[in-house]
Amino acid sequence: MASRAVRARRRRARQAVAYARAHSPYYRELHRALPDDIDDPARLPVTGKQALMARFSTVATAARFRRDHPRLGWLLREFSIDKPLPQLVAEPNRYKPSSLAGFSSMLGLLAREQEAGRLHIHPGMVIADGEALTAENRTRIASAFHAQVRSAYAATECGFLAYGCAHNWLHLDTDWVVLEPVDADQRPVPPGQPSHTVLLSNLANRIQPILRYDMGDNVLMRPDACPCGSPLPAVQVQGRAAELLEFPAGGDRHVRISPMAFGTLLDRVPGIAQFQVVQSAPATLRVRLTQADGADPDDVWRSVREEISRLLAEHKAEHVALERAVEPPEQSASGKFRRIIPLGR
């Protein structure tokens, strides 16, 4: 017999599907040949961003939270990463946040400011989301702030997918989320094997129904119990399928390398404050660097070039050219700092 939690999730799935059919012409047409009473999203057809874009609603922001909850709004503050670093540092210095959340790259930058004595806050918890949190960055943030560091898995389509534990796994909110790891042909991938992508069903969203939505994330489901003791399924996000760097390897062959491979590698290079690797041509990587205080730019570049060259050689991509950029790392229009940028992204 199914557990109470499973029965509740099936009920929510059934309600979400019924609501989507009743209120969305898109889903009504997409599901018209299906039975009326579906409580398992795996029986639904797959959809994606292109199909939903015309109907897509923006995610709630901190500003909206303050508008909708004026009595609670004082609890939440936004610090814009578009501001110059001294101003960005000054604002949390005034506010003294008890917890801190943001892109992992920006949290790492703030950790350096804390180490340098320009930032002096003492959050009890730091939550990294929006970007992969490397082990090196986690250690640096924890050491700088003397705080617990947790990662979160969230997206515009669902802001509460999973939350991290001390063992670097993300535990799914299975009460309201159905996540299906699949291969390139959208067949289920068993735990312990990395997926090509993952399909999301958000059972809570009635404004913009999200049912079997292809997120493009490579995930790995943990095949056994997590040592943290949580009974919830655990995943690790290994990157986005669309963000893998792909290099020509002769004929019709290509070499594909995860962005995390570059990030983990360069996190270990001393003297780097920030880096950004941009695939500017099919077989060219342009490396943007900001050196740490006191570091010699030429020494840092030599170390970076050696490490990337070694990684490329390990993947049989020695032919890829490396360029030393004169411009510093840049933020995207959305404000997210992308450390690895594949060609055409």
Side-chain angles (χ1 to χ4, degrees):
M1 179 180 293
S3 68
R4 180 182 299 179
V6 171
R7 292 196 301 271
R9 184 167 62 249
R10 288 176 178 171
R11 183 183 69 252
R12 294 180 187 123
R14 185 166 54 249
Q15 292 170 346
V17 173
Y19 187 93
R21 283 175 163 174
H23 295 86
S24 167
Y26 169 76
Y27 280 109
R28 189 157 51 245
E29 174 63 21
L30 187 65
H31 296 170
R32 60 187 172 86
L34 300 177
D36 291 335
D37 196 21
I38 291 181
D39 61 4
D40 180 6
R43 298 173 60 189
L44 300 174
V46 174
T47 188
K49 180 169 289 188
Q50 185 174 1
L52 294 181
M53 186 60 71
R55 305 170 179 87
F56 201 77
S57 299
T58 56
V59 70
T61 64
R64 181 181 295 180
F65 178 88
R66 287 195 294 271
R67 183 197 67 196
D68 295 342
H69 306 278
R71 294 184 180 180
L72 299 178
W74 65 273
L75 294 171
L76 193 63
R77 289 291 185 277
E78 288 177 298
F79 307 122
S80 174
I81 60 177
D82 293 329
K83 295 179 179 178
L85 187 57
Q87 188 175 350
L88 175 60
V89 168
E91 291 184 356
N93 273 339
R94 286 193 297 268
Y95 183 61
K96 306 294 185 187
S98 60
S99 62
L100 189 65
F103 298 138
S104 60
S105 58
M106 293 306 300
L107 293 174
L109 185 60
L110 291 177
R112 292 185 177 92
E113 293 298 297
Q114 182 92 349
E115 291 168 346
R118 292 181 287 269
L119 180 65
H120 37 86
I121 60 176
H122 305 284
M125 174 72 74
V126 179
I127 301 173
D129 58 21
E131 297 169 333
L133 177 63
T134 64
E136 290 80 7
N137 210 19
R138 175 191 291 270
T139 299
R140 180 165 211 156
I141 294 168
S143 175
F145 294 114
H146 302 286
Q148 294 186 61
V149 179
R150 294 289 185 267
S151 53
Y153 183 23
T156 303
E157 300 82 11
C158 185
F160 49 87
L161 276 165
Y163 296 94
C165 70
H167 295 270
N168 204 28
W169 286 87
L170 295 155
H171 291 274
L172 295 173
D173 182 359
T174 52
D175 285 341
W176 294 100
V177 169
V178 177
L179 209 64
E180 303 173 61
V182 295
D183 63 17
D185 296 318
Q186 298 174 349
R187 296 173 299 195
V189 171
Q193 296 183 19
S195 73
H196 173 76
T197 186
V198 66
L199 307 179
L200 164 69
S201 293
N202 180 341
L203 306 184
N205 194 339
R206 295 295 189 267
I207 303 300
Q208 172 62 65
I210 301 292
L211 299 171
R212 288 206 100 198
Y213 177 87
D214 187 343
M215 293 184 65
D217 288 346
N218 308 132
V219 304
L220 177 73
M221 294 285 293
R222 188 181 180 103
D224 55 359
C226 184
C228 78
S230 172
L232 297 174
V235 302
Q236 286 182 340
V237 183
Q238 301 187 318
R240 290 185 178 269
E243 291 179 353
L244 294 175
L245 284 86
E246 183 175 275
F247 305 104
D252 295 329
R253 296 185 303 110
H254 291 83
V255 174
R256 296 175 178 85
I257 305 177
S258 167
M260 292 184 68
F262 289 91
T264 302
L265 184 75
L266 295 184
D267 275 334
R268 297 196 296 264
V269 175
I272 296 179
Q274 278 189 322
F275 68 86
Q276 194 170 54
V277 179
V278 182
Q279 187 180 13
S280 56
T284 303
L285 292 177
R286 187 171 180 83
V287 184
R288 298 167 176 165
L289 294 170
T290 300
Q291 288 76 34
D293 293 342
D296 182 89
D298 292 330
D299 288 343
V300 172
W301 167 244
R302 278 192 291 270
S303 297
V304 167
R305 184 176 56 195
E306 289 174 3
E307 292 294 333
I308 295 180
S309 296
R310 181 176 58 80
L311 176 66
L312 292 171
E314 290 174 352
H315 287 80
K316 311 299 183 186
E318 301 93 334
H319 60 286
V320 174
L322 296 179
E323 294 180 348
R324 182 181 182 180
V326 295
E327 72 274 13
E330 301 172 355
Q331 293 175 358
S332 68
S334 67
K336 181 181 291 188
F337 178 73
R338 300 177 64 198
R339 303 199 301 175
I340 314 297
I341 304 177
L343 185 64
R345 301 287 190 263

